Amino acid sequence: MTELIREIDPLRARLALARERGLRVGVVPTMGALHRGHLALIAEARRRAQVVVVTVFVNPTQFGPNEDFKKYPRTLEKDVEACRAMGAELVFAPENESVLYPPGDETRLRVPETTKHLEGAFRPTHFEGVATIVLKLFNVVGPGVAVFGRKDYQQLQVVTRMARDLFVPMEIVGIPTVREDDGLALSSRNAYLSPEDRQKARGIPEGLSAAVAAWEAGERHVQPLIAAARLPIAAGATSIDYVACADAVSMAPLDELARIERKAVLAIAARYGTTRLIDNVVLGEDPAPIG
Ligand code: PAF
């Protein structure tokens, strides 16, 4: 049975009981519009905890002024159904913003180095909003483990850094990106794509797969790996924000002329029409998106 909880106090009371009984709590933070990628996060949380809380909250502070906060899909009834089918015990979905941002709220969290480049450079206030809401959710839920998707790779590094720096006593787990049959990463934002742009967006998994193929053939220099990824993406994208290689932990970009000597992520952000998509592969670790 899945319980829908809208306020902090009843959620805390319910979880205090679980903890008293020695049960480990797992949390899956989401903004709702759940798809198979989210279901994989819930399945992982279920493997690692006895009580699973899925949070559903479209967090206003992580959207920039011209971003899609207002039109972000809100599908709570279906989301609760999906959580029920996955066996999550609790869905925490605040009825309005003031549950998590009560009047007078002003504290914000910054993780300046990990957020300096890539997404952080193009969405300057985004990670401040993410880090702040994630710590709020951790403090409300008190989980032993939280599960995030590796599609939002930089977000995973930001949350991991934040939890480590602030001694948040819990485990943070990232799980592989779930993809459509043609390799496109699942994202709630895919729903915005026109059929034509959806076709063109296949250039993203094609580009990442070309980079993985080059890596597997022994290429270790940044520039050719980026070039291999960029070509198919540039063929269909309306615009490209970045195709870049970065250190897989610090997220510092690697010089285009450098040879890769440590774990690196190849990350991209591109627009198809007005829809902005992101994706990545950790070189030497992730399989090619198109198998
Ligand atoms: O990845 C998301 O859906 C959001 O950024 C998160 C982690 C739920 C914070 O609002």
Side-chain angles (χ1 to χ4, degrees):
M1 191 52 200
T2 302
E3 204 179 320
L4 172 63
I5 300 186
R6 310 289 263 169
E7 298 287 339
I8 290 175
D9 287 347
L11 177 70
R12 281 194 156 143
R14 175 75 172 70
L15 291 171
L17 281 179
R19 272 188 296 267
E20 260 167 42
R21 290 172 51 213
L23 302 177
R24 190 179 202 218
V25 175
V27 68
V28 179
T30 82
M31 298 205 298
L34 302 185
H35 51 63
R36 280 189 295 118
H38 295 110
L39 305 190
L41 303 180
I42 300 172
E44 185 63 28
R46 277 188 59 79
R47 278 191 281 277
R48 292 171 179 268
Q50 289 87 43
V51 177
V52 171
V53 186
V54 179
T55 68
V56 175
F57 180 65
V58 185
N59 172 38
T61 62
Q62 71 188 74
F63 289 80
N66 299 316
E67 294 184 356
D68 55 341
F69 174 65
K70 284 224 170 76
K71 77 164 184 180
Y72 199 86
R74 288 157 171 88
T75 59
L76 183 59
E77 232 173 86
K78 274 171 68 182
D79 293 344
V80 174
E81 244 346 282
C83 291
R84 190 163 288 144
M86 291 303 296
E89 281 72 17
L90 300 171
V91 174
F92 175 55
E95 188 120 43
N96 52 57
E97 286 168 34
S98 66
V99 173
L100 286 164
Y101 295 99
D105 171 280
E106 61 171 299
T107 304
R108 296 291 176 269
L109 205 51
R110 286 195 325 114
V111 187
E113 287 303 318
T114 313
T115 65
K116 206 180 222 164
H117 304 287
L118 305 174
E119 283 304 279
F122 285 88
R123 305 181 69 191
T125 57
H126 172 65
F127 286 121
E128 184 174 301
V130 169
T132 302
I133 194 65
V134 167
L135 186 60
K136 281 176 187 264
L137 292 169
F138 287 173
N139 284 333
V140 166
V141 173
V145 59
V147 185
F148 293 86
R150 281 169 58 157
K151 184 182 81 72
D152 297 297
Y153 189 85
Q154 192 172 11
Q155 166 172 282
L156 175 63
Q157 299 314 313
V158 170
V159 169
T160 303
R161 181 79 261 162
M162 174 274 283
R164 215 171 269 166
D165 290 352
L166 299 181
F167 303 102
V168 185
M170 59 180 291
E171 186 188 3
I172 292 177
V173 174
I175 72 155
T177 302
V178 179
R179 299 179 179 280
E180 301 279 8
D181 287 345
D182 67 355
L184 186 70
L186 294 188
S187 161
S188 307
R189 290 189 168 104
N190 292 353
Y192 303 152
L193 292 167
S194 68
E196 297 73 34
D197 285 333
R198 170 65 186 80
Q199 271 301 108
K200 290 179 182 165
R202 294 183 60 158
I204 296 177
E206 282 167 13
L208 294 178
S209 298
V212 170
W215 175 272
E216 284 172 354
E219 183 59 74
R220 291 295 179 271
H221 285 91
V222 170
Q223 198 279 330
L225 290 165
I226 289 180
R230 183 178 267 276
L231 202 65
I233 299 171
T238 309
S239 62
I240 295 179
D241 280 354
Y242 58 83
V243 179
C245 270
D247 180 287
V249 176
S250 72
M251 299 309 292
L254 304 181
D255 190 285
E256 291 226 355
L257 297 177
R259 188 185 148 83
I260 298 178
E261 307 284 3
R262 53 197 173 191
K263 187 157 115 167
V265 60
L266 195 151
I268 75 102
R271 242 174 254 280
Y272 291 81
T274 55
T275 306
R276 186 172 181 280
L277 301 178
I278 61 170
D279 202 346
N280 70 84
V281 283
V282 175
L283 294 165
E285 208 169 272
D286 288 331
I290 302 173

